[in-house]
């Protein structure tokens, strides 16, 4: 009898867990956007397996950070920007929004440029025209969110995520990495200032500020309970269990894709000239592994640009609504924020350089999202009985400290030569 009850209880949990899946998969797209491609391919081609440990560590940090963001949305029924907006005075709130908006624009630049590069590689479309196409298609994806249901939006993003994974991992079936070199890449170390700069770019491309903001909104919107959008205590506990599963699976997939990109570059592109650009890396992959792998890689890059720019626009709208209490249609915001990316490409700025720099900008925005997230997650007045346990508090603050230290090192290495150090 008892065994039968346990079996029935176990079966009843599965629908609840499966019903919680989705928000983390949407947020995880931010972790496999075109900025990741530029940073990871450059790192693998230039330093081999040296910086693999950065991606492993960043992915573990990402799991913890995204869970905290999702948990905040589920427990409080509010987004991280809304909670911050309610606690900041008007002046600081606008300044905070300004830095968050700069981060969102840097994110959008990386995503649109990556999608435009993919269209150029596949169909020889000029970069500015490709940027417009990416923007228009992303508007269609966002329209699903606006006028239908979040679940359909999630399914669209998950489908693109599957294409991304296939596109970026297919080459590993042809060029397997060295197990011994992979094990060596897990040892934390650098090889000069440029490797630190790349590590900061990789971290900025992996732990994404806008993903921290948006995950609280995705979870809150998916799990609205009663009229005020806040589930009861028993439902919250069930949802948090499902959220943990959601985050581990989704961020696990994103981590595998990121590491796979670095391994592909390390095993295929090491010592090859011109691999510091996506176009050069794509050409080298075609020469080494064949045109079919090159096409699949470019398709993965296109899916990455389309999915991540849609999620980025969702995040930007979440930031604006929470901090400025102003809401504009997602499609309209997508149209407005597309302009800088098109201008950058029309002016002839090197696209891969723009991608890497955008990731460095993102790394500076991480502490502004991460530190408030940790503080709010440790306050009983905000999350009640769901405050972080001491081991998670330590892990969260260590993650924040590592990000800040890397950013200070990045600032020193880039500003020092300009100041005549």
């Amino acid at each position: 009898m008892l065994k039968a009850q346990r079996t029935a209880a176990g079966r009843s949990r599965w629908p609840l867990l499966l019903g919680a899946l989705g928000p983390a998969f949407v947020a995880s797209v931010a972790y496999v956007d075109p900025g990741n491609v530029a940073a990871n391919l450059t790192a693998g081609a230039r330093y081999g397996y040296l910086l693999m440990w950065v991606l492993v560590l960043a992915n573990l940090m990402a799991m913890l950070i995204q869970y905290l963001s999702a948990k905040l949305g589920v427990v409080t029924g509010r987004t991280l920007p809304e909670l911050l907006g309610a606690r900041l005075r008007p002046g600081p709130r606008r300044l905070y929004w300004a830095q968050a908006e700069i981060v969102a624009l840097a994110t959008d630049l990386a995503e649109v440029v990556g999608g435009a590069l993919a269209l150029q590689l596949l169909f020889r479309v000029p970069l500015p025209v490709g940027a417009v196409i990416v923007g228009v298609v992303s508007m269609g994806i966002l329209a699903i969110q606006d006028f239908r249901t979040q679940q359909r939006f999630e399914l669209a993003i998950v489908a693109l995520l599957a294409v991304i994974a296939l596109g970026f991992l297919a080459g590993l079936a042809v060029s397997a990495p060295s197990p011994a070199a992979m094990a060596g890449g897990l040892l934390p170390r650098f090889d000069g200032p440029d490797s630190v700069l790349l590590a900061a770019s990789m971290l900025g491309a992996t732990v994404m500020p806008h993903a921290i903001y948006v995950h609280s909104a995705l979870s809150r919107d998916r799990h609205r309970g009663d009229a005020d959008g806040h589930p009861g205590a028993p439902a919250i506990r069930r949802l948090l269990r499902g959220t943990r599963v959601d985050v581990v699976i989704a961020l696990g997939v994103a981590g595998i894709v990121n590491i796979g990109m670095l391994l592909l570059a390390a095993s295929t592109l090491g010592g090859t000239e011109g691999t510091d650009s996506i176009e050069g890396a794509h050409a080298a992959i075609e020469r080494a592994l064949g045109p079919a792998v090159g096409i699949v890689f470019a398709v993965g890059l296109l899916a990455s640009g389309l999915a991540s720019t849609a999620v980025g626009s969702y995040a930007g709208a979440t930031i604006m609504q929470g901090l400025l209490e102003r809401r504009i249609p997602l499609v309209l915001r997508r149209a407005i924020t597309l302009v800088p990316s098109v201008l950058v490409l029309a002016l002839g700025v090197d696209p891969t350089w723009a991608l890497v720099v955008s990731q460095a900008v993102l790394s500076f925005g991480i502490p502004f999202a991460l530190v408030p997230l940790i503080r709010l997650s440790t306050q009983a007045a905000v999350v009640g009985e769901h405050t972080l346990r001491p081991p998670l508090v330590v892990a969260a603050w260590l993650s924040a400290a590592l990000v800040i230290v890397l950013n200070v090192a990045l600032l020193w290495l880039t500003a020092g030569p300009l100041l005549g150090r």
Side-chain angles (χ1 to χ4, degrees):
M1 182 70 174
L2 182 59
K3 183 178 180 180
Q5 288 176 342
R6 288 176 178 173
T7 302
R11 288 175 180 171
S12 67
R13 285 195 207 103
W14 281 109
L16 294 172
L17 291 177
L18 292 175
L21 298 181
F25 283 86
V26 176
S28 72
V29 166
Y31 291 81
V32 288
D33 78 345
N36 295 77
V37 180
N40 295 336
L41 289 181
T42 301
R46 192 175 299 173
Y47 293 103
Y49 302 86
L50 177 75
L51 298 178
M52 181 177 163
W53 66 272
V54 175
L55 292 179
V56 174
L57 182 61
N59 197 65
L60 293 174
M61 291 166 51
M63 287 184 179
L64 172 60
I65 291 164
Q66 293 305 136
Y67 174 68
L68 294 184
S69 177
K71 177 182 177 182
L72 196 66
V74 170
V75 171
T76 66
R78 307 184 74 185
T79 69
L80 175 59
E82 286 174 345
L83 291 167
L84 290 173
R87 285 161 173 76
L88 294 173
R89 296 189 302 275
R93 187 175 71 247
R94 294 189 187 97
L95 290 174
Y96 190 93
W97 168 80
Q99 66 79 27
E101 195 66 44
I102 290 171
V103 167
L105 289 174
T107 302
D108 194 63
L109 174 65
E111 293 156 350
V112 173
V113 167
L117 274 173
L119 287 172
Q120 185 182 67
L121 293 172
L122 289 167
F123 308 112
R124 301 291 185 263
V125 176
L127 289 175
V129 176
V132 173
I133 293 173
V134 169
V136 171
V137 174
S138 67
M139 289 179 194
I141 297 173
L142 288 168
I144 299 174
Q145 168 65 23
D146 273 346
F147 301 117
R148 298 189 181 181
T149 65
Q150 180 163 314
Q151 285 82 357
R152 291 187 180 181
F153 176 70
E154 290 171 357
L155 287 174
I157 297 298
V158 168
L160 288 171
L161 181 61
V163 176
I164 294 167
L166 177 63
F168 292 150
L169 298 179
L172 293 176
V174 181
S175 177
S178 164
M182 289 170 58
L186 297 176
L187 178 65
R189 64 196 191 281
F190 295 104
D191 184 16
D194 187 57
S195 66
V196 179
L197 178 63
L198 256 180
S201 294
M202 293 163 69
L203 187 63
T206 305
V207 181
M208 303 287 276
H210 76 288
I212 298 174
Y213 294 121
V214 77
H215 203 162
S216 59
L218 290 165
S219 295
R220 188 274 310 271
D221 293 346
R222 170 57 113 70
H223 303 307
R224 288 185 187 274
D226 49 31
D228 66 359
H230 191 239
I236 287 176
R237 287 191 288 271
R238 291 194 299 270
L239 289 172
L240 290 179
R241 286 195 295 270
T243 296
R244 285 192 287 271
V245 175
D246 188 29
V247 168
V248 170
I249 296 175
L251 272 296
V253 171
I256 290 171
V257 172
N258 272 322
I259 294 170
M261 282 189 279
L262 184 142
L263 295 179
L264 180 64
S267 63
T268 305
L269 309 181
T272 305
E273 295 294 330
T275 55
D276 54 349
S277 70
I278 288 182
E279 308 98 300
H282 175 262
I285 289 171
E286 277 194 331
R287 288 194 300 270
L289 305 178
V293 175
I295 291 173
V296 173
F297 177 87
V299 170
L301 180 63
L302 178 59
S304 172
L306 293 174
S308 56
T309 193
V311 175
S313 294
Y314 191 114
T318 298
I319 292 167
M320 176 177 287
Q321 182 179 351
L323 293 171
L324 298 186
E325 297 182 352
R326 294 180 182 176
R327 186 172 186 173
I328 62 174
L330 282 172
V331 173
L332 176 59
R333 179 182 173 86
R334 166 68 280 173
I336 294 172
T337 57
L338 181 63
V339 174
S341 301
V342 175
L343 286 177
V344 166
L345 294 175
L347 292 173
V349 175
D350 178 68
T352 300
W353 180 84
L355 285 173
V356 174
V357 170
S358 72
Q359 302 314 300
V361 171
L362 292 179
S363 71
F364 284 102
I366 296 171
F368 290 98
L370 184 51
V371 171
L373 174 65
I374 298 172
R375 286 178 58 85
L376 290 170
S377 298
T378 56
Q379 294 177 6
V382 178
V383 294
E385 64 179 290
H386 302 286
T387 54
L388 288 183
R389 295 179 181 179
L392 287 181
V393 173
V394 172
W397 282 119
L398 284 176
S399 299
L402 177 61
V403 171
I404 293 169
V405 167
L406 268 177
N407 288 336
V408 170
L410 175 61
L411 179 62
W412 176 255
L413 291 170
T414 54
L418 298 177
L419 297 176
R421 178 172 58 82

